Amino acid sequence: MLVIQLIRPIARAIDWIPLAVTGTLAVVMASVIEAGAALGVGTAFTLLRMMGVVLGAAAGFAVIDEMTASTGAAPVPRWLRQWLRCGFGGLSAGLFWGIACAVAVARLPAGGELRVAGMAVEAAVFAIGLLSASVAGRMHQGKAAALAGMGGLVVILSVSLVLRGPYWPWLYPEEENWEIVHYGWVAVLPPVLVALGWESRDLR
């Protein structure tokens, strides 16, 4: 019952602008890139990967809780507020990504195919954006925390891009180790969610 009562006020307290802007951008780009022709599989693949990262960063703005600085004024446990915020941010980012993916798939040429399941796992792992923003929220307030969280996500992304070898995380679908690498992506997701739950705990 408490969760239901909190949905509306927390939804109103979230800064939706970053998610709305990036989500709309993702859908629009999937719709207009290479307009007038079929969307190339490589272009769609790159676009959706990029949008997964951007939406993961934007979702971090949803977890910034201004009440954290004044715990005495917060009658609801921090973990509950944070989980609701993470749910709103993560589900909204996932919805926008899913719409953009559906648009891209619909525009593929005959015989064109995207490895949607593997790409969706990659996008889900960018719940790291929620995690890094939550951690930053312990030390900063307001948008500064969201920006610090975005910086943390950029650092993690940069390190992953620098790595090289047969199990590089950013393989293309036609590469031999695609399936093996995506078992790794799947393995990373539960620890990210566990860490997010641990970070959301109330320290009082």
Side-chain angles (χ1 to χ4, degrees):
M1 178 64 75
L2 178 59
V3 172
I4 295 174
Q5 293 174 340
L6 285 173
I7 288 176
R8 180 176 293 181
I10 287 182
R12 292 178 63 183
I14 288 174
D15 180 5
W16 290 105
I17 293 176
L19 267 171
V21 170
T22 55
T24 301
L25 178 65
V27 176
V28 168
M29 289 181 68
S31 303
V32 304
I33 287 181
E34 299 181 4
L39 181 63
V41 173
T43 302
F45 183 79
T46 301
L47 172 65
L48 290 171
R49 263 188 169 169
M50 179 179 67
M51 286 298 109
V53 176
V54 172
L55 284 165
F61 283 81
V63 304
I64 303 308
D65 189 350
E66 300 290 352
M67 296 182 75
T68 301
S70 180
T71 54
V76 179
R78 181 184 190 272
W79 67 266
L80 182 55
R81 300 196 311 272
Q82 286 298 97
W83 266 110
L84 284 172
R85 286 174 172 274
C86 287
F88 275 122
L91 291 174
S92 299
L95 177 61
F96 278 122
W97 189 89
I99 293 171
C101 183
V103 171
V105 169
R107 294 188 57 213
L108 293 178
E113 183 181 357
L114 287 174
R115 305 291 289 271
V116 174
M119 295 169 65
V121 171
E122 291 179 13
V125 169
F126 284 100
I128 292 173
L130 295 170
L131 175 59
S132 58
S134 296
V135 172
R138 297 279 189 182
M139 299 169 282
H140 305 281
Q141 296 300 316
K143 288 183 172 59
L147 293 172
M150 186 185 301
L153 179 58
V154 168
V155 169
I156 293 170
L157 175 64
S158 299
V159 170
S160 71
L161 288 171
V162 169
L163 297 174
R164 285 293 182 269
Y167 302 110
W168 187 51
W170 301 104
L171 294 179
Y172 285 88
E174 64 273 12
E175 295 187 69
E176 180 180 358
N177 290 328
W178 167 271
E179 295 291 347
I180 296 174
V181 164
H182 280 76
Y183 290 141
W185 280 97
V186 171
V188 167
L189 185 55
V192 169
L193 296 178
V194 169
L196 187 57
W198 180 81
E199 207 298 311
S200 297
R201 74 200 187 285
D202 196 332
L203 295 180
R204 287 180 296 172

